[in-house]
Amino acid sequence: MIVAEAVGRTLASLGAEVVFGVVGSGNFHVTNALVAHGARFVATRHEGGAATAADAYARTSGKIGIVSVHQGPGLTNAMTGVAEAAKSRTPLVVLAGEATDARSNFHIDQDALARAVGAVPLRIPSGADAVDQTVLAFRTAWHERRTVLLNLPLGAQADAVPWRGRLGEFLDQIVAGGRAAAAGPHPAHTVPRLREVTDLAGLLATARRPVFVAGRGARHARRELEELAGLTGALLATSAVARGLFRGNPWDLDVSGGFATPVAAELIRGADLLVGWGCALNMWTTRHGALIGPDTTLVQVDLDDAAIGLHRTVRLGVIGDTAATARAVIAAVTAEGAREPDGERGYRSPEIAARLAAEGRWRAVPYTDGSGGGRIDPRTLTIALDDLLPVERTVAVDSGNFMGYPSMFLDVPDERGFCFTQAFQSVGLGLATAVGAAVARPDRLTVAALGDGGAFMGASELETVVRLGLPMVVVVYDDEAYGAEVHHFGPHGHPLGLVTFPPADLAAIGRGYGFDAVTVTGPGDLPGVGEWLEGARERPLLVHARVTRDRASWWLEEAFRGH
């Protein structure tokens, strides 16, 4: 057995079920080895799409992501997606061939490239190290929630790896103890210190207006957080990446931050205790601190001690898994004789319940429909799509001026129904994000929400959607511009010719790739979407929406403060 085969076989044995990539000479053998040992290979049309799709697959499935790319340019093509994954702490293993000879056209410092974006570089220098380094890469990605680059030097890929010995023992371990044992303990096993649990329980016992904000690190902890919130009278909110976690709960505020509804922003700002659960409490989630009242006590629960207080100074930091911490605090609160809060305690009052029922979604906020002149108001468009699309959906959103509309007006069924690759704020990742999410959840209709700029950047993956037969609706919010730049610089009188473009027939482009397509210029065009949904859905649908462009989206002013 050679190194390339040993790497593929080991990863497949550990539980790598799907690998995304573009195959070249440097990753040909390792990718084939993964497939030979049971992994599914999903070929994208660009390495950037492969990395982003693998990231989205990991987020949506809860499993590890694997991406396989060629050495040199294959890796550089993938780097924007790798940077997004690394910044988001996505468990992802990037397999890349490596040209170590400086005379090769493909030679670059791949380790430095990985470190520059926050990924962890590892390498297999010889057959003797193949299994150990592969296991280390998998464990680092899974246990530490890191994006790992596993370099496969071309000169070492054909080295012999004895079947007996280390590899055989390792595979025997997997068979005997299961994949989880071989991969090592999951971070969810991390429990908090007793003193921190006691302190948090004490703060909750005295709080009159507590609010929980759950982030990506709490997506597995809905039951525990709802139980603790019920005991202490807390309202429930999420960061954008955890949207949908508390869907259906009457005390759900939805998203905290720039996408928060007016009533949610008011109630979060009025909290006397705000607890972030697996949530960074960064400028986006707190609106640069504007959602934190002057007398609000801040608490942060996170697995990573480096995350505590990174963005906001906190009164108490608790190191531990969110579910394990919530269970421990429930036990402490219960032991102190706490009771279920009555209807008049804190935020859990009949008045607040009535307000959340009436005002808790953006579609309930009145607005003046700006549709006309051959363009549709993006709010009108998105509310109509929300009514038309099936409830069981996955929404994947690209970056840009438009992004708040699908993020807030398209409902999602749960925390796995919203895939938000925005840690790096790169335009152009949305379609590949949708590909990875659709592979992870083929039982749901995936909705890719793109701006026209992102649609053109990622258009090559339209072929991937068609070739794979993915159930998908691609909605393009077309304002014929990089809208964020238009609304940032336009009010100051700057010329905008560099960021505006002539009209393009995106529906025709979609049809050219094999999509069904509908052009929407006003509410009267929306029945075409309904007809597709009620039909056979033999091909994916592209909705080319020519949206109004006379004003910035409501969240953009806050976003610009971060630049």
Side-chain angles (χ1 to χ4, degrees):
M1 181 179 297
I2 62 173
V3 164
E5 184 179 351
V7 172
R9 183 164 191 169
T10 302
L11 285 173
S13 298
L14 281 166
E17 298 179 5
V18 179
V19 54
F20 297 83
V22 176
V23 172
S25 59
N27 65 323
F28 182 87
H29 294 299
V30 70
T31 309
N32 272 303
L34 275 158
V35 172
H37 293 286
R40 175 188 176 188
F41 178 64
V42 178
T44 61
R45 286 300 188 175
H46 191 277
E47 290 92 348
T52 301
D55 179 6
Y57 171 84
R59 297 177 193 231
T60 306
S61 68
K63 301 174 182 176
I64 199 163
I66 308 291
V67 60
S68 177
V69 297
H70 186 66
Q71 64 272 15
L75 182 59
T76 58
N77 276 350
M79 286 313 295
T80 299
V82 173
E84 168 65 35
K87 282 178 169 287
S88 298
R89 297 296 292 267
T90 298
L92 182 70
V93 174
V94 182
L95 301 172
E98 183 184 28
T100 55
D101 188 340
R103 296 169 296 180
S104 170
N105 289 350
F106 295 134
H107 174 72
I108 56 172
D109 189 341
Q110 296 190 175
D111 281 11
L113 194 63
R115 291 192 186 97
V117 300
V120 178
L122 296 174
R123 175 175 290 98
I124 298 179
S126 68
D129 305 295
V131 174
D132 286 337
Q133 290 297 100
T134 304
V135 173
L136 178 60
F138 192 99
R139 284 180 170 169
T140 301
W142 180 247
H143 183 65
E144 299 181 22
R145 298 174 301 127
R146 299 296 299 273
T147 293
V148 178
L149 169 63
L150 184 58
N151 289 301
L152 306 175
L154 301 182
Q157 287 193 37
D159 281 1
V161 178
W163 166 247
R164 296 299 174 190
R166 179 69 183 93
L167 179 59
E169 292 173 4
F170 175 69
L171 295 178
D172 288 344
Q173 177 189 4
I174 295 174
V175 172
R179 288 176 173 177
H186 191 273
H189 295 163
T190 303
V191 295
R193 290 188 285 267
L194 178 60
R195 175 61 182 272
E196 294 170 352
V197 170
T198 302
D199 289 347
L200 178 51
L203 290 172
L204 286 167
T206 58
R208 305 307 300 171
R209 299 182 306 282
V211 171
F212 291 173
V213 181
R216 186 177 174 191
R219 294 201 305 170
H220 63 295
R222 172 172 178 160
R223 181 178 61 81
E224 292 85 354
L225 291 178
E226 285 186 325
E227 182 179 351
L228 181 58
L231 288 170
T232 57
L235 302 182
L236 298 160
T238 71
S239 65
V241 292
R243 183 170 182 241
L245 178 62
F246 302 116
R247 182 64 69 242
N249 189 299
W251 305 106
D252 177 21
L253 299 176
D254 205 23
V255 174
S256 173
F259 296 157
T261 59
V263 66
E266 174 191 330
L267 294 172
I268 294 167
R269 191 180 294 114
D272 61 355
L273 175 66
L274 192 151
V275 185
W277 298 87
C279 172
L281 297 176
N282 59 27
M283 62 183 180
W284 310 112
T285 304
T286 67
R287 288 191 184 176
H288 298 266
L291 293 186
I292 301 173
D295 300 317
T296 302
T297 297
L298 282 184
V299 175
Q300 191 174 0
V301 180
D302 205 285
L303 277 171
D304 184 3
D305 59 354
I308 302 294
L310 180 63
H311 296 279
R312 310 294 306 182
T313 300
V314 298
R315 165 81 172 274
L316 173 65
V318 181
I319 309 300
D321 167 68
T322 51
T325 300
R327 286 193 295 269
V329 177
I330 288 168
V333 168
T334 303
E336 292 174 5
R339 57 186 176 87
E340 187 79 15
D342 59 37
E344 298 299 324
R345 179 183 178 188
Y347 272 178
R348 294 207 170 192
S349 67
E351 293 79 12
I352 295 301
R355 287 195 67 190
L356 291 179
E359 308 169 41
R361 293 291 179 267
W362 268 105
R363 63 184 299 154
V365 178
Y367 72 96
T368 300
D369 189 346
S371 301
R375 294 189 174 274
I376 187 169
D377 190 306
R379 295 164 293 188
T380 302
L381 166 72
T382 315
I383 290 170
L385 290 174
D386 188 51
D387 290 337
L388 288 167
L389 293 165
V391 172
E392 288 298 311
R393 65 182 75 152
T394 304
V395 177
V397 183
D398 207 335
S399 190
N401 179 61
F402 77 96
M403 62 189 283
Y405 302 112
S407 297
M408 297 313 301
F409 287 99
L410 284 182
D411 214 347
V412 293
D414 55 34
E415 73 281 3
R416 299 291 179 184
F418 190 63
C419 202
F420 195 67
T421 45
Q422 299 292 336
F424 200 30
Q425 286 190 273
S426 173
V427 174
L429 304 187
L431 184 56
T433 296
V435 169
V439 170
R441 291 301 302 265
D443 58 314
R444 291 180 171 178
L445 180 67
T446 300
V447 182
L450 320 175
D452 53 303
F456 279 112
M457 284 188 186
S460 62
E461 303 308 342
L462 292 171
E463 188 278 337
T464 303
V465 175
V466 173
R467 170 168 39 86
L468 297 177
L470 298 176
M472 190 177 296
V473 173
V474 176
V475 183
V476 183
Y477 292 72
D478 181 12
D479 61 1
E480 296 167 10
Y482 292 129
E485 282 64 36
V486 167
H487 295 295
H488 187 36
F489 295 106
H492 302 288
H494 296 292
L496 300 174
L498 301 180
V499 292
T500 56
F501 301 90
D505 191 343
L506 283 156
I509 292 171
R511 292 187 191 101
Y513 276 102
F515 276 70
D516 288 329
V518 176
T519 298
V520 177
T521 59
D525 297 322
L526 286 163
V529 178
E531 291 171 7
W532 181 88
L533 288 166
E534 294 170 3
R537 304 187 197 177
E538 294 176 347
R539 303 196 298 178
L541 176 69
L542 188 145
V543 179
H544 177 200
R546 298 187 184 274
V547 297
T548 54
R549 52 187 181 178
D550 55 343
R551 61 187 297 274
S553 53
W554 75 92
W555 60 274
L556 198 60
E557 184 177 351
E558 286 290 333
F560 284 145
R561 292 178 59 196
H563 296 284

